[in-house]
Amino acid sequence: EAQVTQNPRYLITVTGKKLTVTCSQNMNHEYMSWYRQDPGLGLRQIYYSMNVEVTDKGDVPEGYKVSRKEKRNFPLILESPSPNQTSLYFCASSPAGGPSDTQYFGPGTRLTVL
Amino acid sequence: QKEVEQNSGPLSVPEGAIASLNCTYSDRVSQSFFWYRQYSGKSPELIMSIYSNGDKEDGRFTAQLNKASQYVSLLIRDSQPSDSATYLCAVVMRGGAQKLVFGQGTRLTINP
């Protein structure tokens, strides 16, 4: 089944404890992206990747890191999480080398930072 | 001005009526526009994309684009309770690198 998977789906952690949220797609998509969703603010892009080894900042990159060593994987790293990073996170991928195409979203990761 | 703006709602429509969702955007040279539907607790899913001025119809859904007015809308005909969801407008912004910007979403409730 063609899909985008994220792990974990739910995570409660404490301030300062490094964490990684994994994202994997099995559709051979070029473009991958991370978003966070907060009430009243909609989806905001954190980082995106046009292809392997090519990543760039979105609108809210502070406090996050990403890497794209393989086409299928695009992990999101929070080196020192803070409470303001409590949010619902979505990974997405699309076939083309940019966002002008259907975005396929993962199921989401709900993160709580205490 | 927000890059992509939607009425946050909530919008309440009786079953069988037409639901109208609106979105304005700030980038005059944007070329790609999308409507995503998001059920509560779920991830967004694409329901319509539109790239040219005018109307685009897909079943009960019609997207309308007016680039001169920087306005895109979504009409849902014969609204069903299963259409109750949050609808997200998304626009690809040009500039140094293309980025997809979402509006804050409009919550739609269809009343039986």
Side-chain angles (χ1 to χ4, degrees):
Chain A
E1 180 190 353
Q3 60 182 349
V4 179
T5 57
Q6 293 178 230
N7 281 294
R9 294 288 312 280
Y10 304 90
L11 180 60
I12 301 174
T13 189
V14 296
T15 298
K17 186 176 181 182
K18 181 179 178 179
L19 66 93
T20 299
V21 183
T22 64
C23 172
S24 183
Q25 51 92 5
N26 61 2
M27 297 170 280
N28 203 37
H29 285 174
E30 302 283 338
Y31 184 90
M32 297 186 74
S33 183
W34 275 103
Y35 298 88
R36 60 177 289 174
Q37 187 172 35
D38 302 289
L41 296 177
L43 282 158
R44 293 179 294 167
Q45 191 176 51
I46 303 170
Y47 269 94
Y48 64 93
S49 170
M50 305 283 275
N51 209 330
V52 176
E53 301 294 358
V54 180
T55 64
D56 208 347
K57 297 177 181 178
D59 288 327
V60 288
E62 294 78 19
Y64 304 96
K65 285 175 57 176
V66 292
S67 68
R68 187 93 182 272
K69 293 186 171 60
E70 307 165 276
K71 199 172 189 178
R72 63 183 293 132
N73 296 323
F74 192 44
L76 179 69
I77 303 157
L78 284 72
E79 295 269 3
S80 183
S82 62
N84 65 11
Q85 292 178 297
T86 292
S87 187
L88 178 58
Y89 291 86
F90 289 104
C91 179
S93 71
S94 70
S100 295
D101 202 343
T102 304
Q103 300 274 302
Y104 294 86
F105 284 84
T109 295
R110 188 167 291 281
L111 172 66
T112 301
V113 183
L114 302 174
Chain B
Q1 181 191 0
K2 289 182 182 178
E3 290 179 294
V4 180
E5 203 148 2
Q6 298 178 247
N7 293 329
S8 57
L11 178 65
S12 186
V13 172
E15 184 176 357
I18 295 175
S20 177
L21 303 160
N22 304 315
C23 174
T24 57
Y25 59 94
S26 62
D27 184 358
R28 290 184 174 276
V29 297
S30 292
Q31 299 292 324
S32 305
F33 308 87
F34 306 90
W35 284 100
Y36 284 82
R37 177 177 62 200
Q38 186 176 24
Y39 291 114
S40 181
K42 301 294 185 183
S43 54
E45 57 178 338
L46 182 72
I47 52 172
M48 290 287 284
S49 59
I50 187 166
Y51 304 95
S52 305
N53 274 330
D55 294 0
K56 179 182 177 183
E57 189 174 315
D58 184 1
R60 296 186 295 111
F61 298 93
T62 299
Q64 300 174 316
L65 176 61
N66 183 328
K67 291 184 181 179
S69 300
Q70 295 173 237
Y71 177 91
V72 58
S73 65
L74 180 70
L75 301 178
I76 306 174
R77 291 183 301 280
D78 187 23
S79 298
Q80 302 297 310
S82 59
D83 295 326
S84 297
T86 296
Y87 289 81
L88 303 167
C89 173
V91 179
V92 176
M93 298 290 175
R94 300 289 170 164
Q98 293 185 15
K99 64 174 183 176
L100 185 64
V101 178
F102 286 82
Q104 71 271 39
T106 299
R107 181 177 291 181
L108 173 66
T109 300
I110 306 301
N111 300 307

